[in-house]
Amino acid sequence: KNSPGYYIHFEKGSSFIAGGSWSPEVEELKKIRKEIAFFYDDLEKILNDADFKKEFKTLSRDENNVLKKAPKGYEPNHPAIEFLKLKSFTASQKIEDKLFSDSDFAKKIAKKLIVMKNFNHFLNRALETED
């Protein structure tokens, strides 16, 4: 099982923090999409939270992560269609190299990642459901 989680990537000039569920297995993907379809209001509330918007803006998207059309079983005009088309459900934020030398680096990063908690909880809730 590919549980949602937290990620810190250290690479000079390309460091970032992230969280969520990256490239879930087919069955997990179906469960997450079902949760989004049925509980879009919950997801919207999480993504519109001021702290989430400040730290992560919204969910990550790139051409390899988004379906061109609505996934099978979902209407193209579903209010959550932009999220239902995702293949990974993550959010990330670039981290400047200079931040690593701050004495309170761990505290700053932890504070940012705590903002991801409600989103990961939403994803975990989806994955805990039985088909």
Side-chain angles (χ1 to χ4, degrees):
K1 182 178 169 192
N2 183 8
S3 295
Y6 307 89
Y7 182 76
I8 303 173
H9 181 85
F10 301 102
E11 182 182 344
K12 189 170 175 71
S14 299
S15 298
F16 65 93
I17 58 171
S21 182
W22 185 78
S23 197
E25 301 288 328
V26 174
E27 289 308 310
E28 295 170 342
L29 182 60
K30 286 179 183 176
K31 287 180 177 187
I32 291 170
R33 284 186 176 145
K34 189 175 180 181
E35 192 78 8
I36 290 171
F38 284 101
F39 299 103
Y40 179 51
D41 291 350
D42 292 352
L43 178 61
E44 207 171 30
K45 184 177 177 188
I46 292 164
L47 300 181
N48 286 324
D49 175 77
D51 289 336
F52 190 94
K53 285 180 92 102
K54 177 182 164 224
E55 295 297 344
F56 302 104
K57 312 270 187 285
T58 188
L59 298 186
S60 303
R61 298 171 192 277
D62 65 54
E63 65 276 359
N64 299 323
N65 182 36
V66 183
L67 297 172
K68 304 271 187 263
K69 294 190 250 173
K72 187 178 177 187
Y74 294 99
E75 295 296 321
N77 62 349
H78 189 288
I81 195 62
E82 292 310 309
F83 298 109
L84 293 169
K85 287 167 136 183
L86 294 174
K87 297 185 217 172
S88 287
F89 304 88
T90 62
S92 65
Q93 179 191 97
K94 290 182 190 280
I95 299 295
E96 292 185 36
D97 293 343
K98 65 182 181 182
L99 187 62
F100 292 102
S101 58
D102 284 5
S103 60
D104 59 349
F105 168 77
K107 187 184 243 181
K108 284 179 179 174
I109 294 300
K111 191 174 179 186
K112 291 175 181 295
L113 289 174
I114 286 170
V115 173
M116 186 70 64
K117 183 178 178 213
N118 288 335
F119 178 59
N120 277 342
H121 178 74
F122 177 86
L123 295 172
N124 274 315
R125 187 175 82 187
L127 298 173
E128 289 166 1
T129 60
E130 296 297 321
D131 282 333

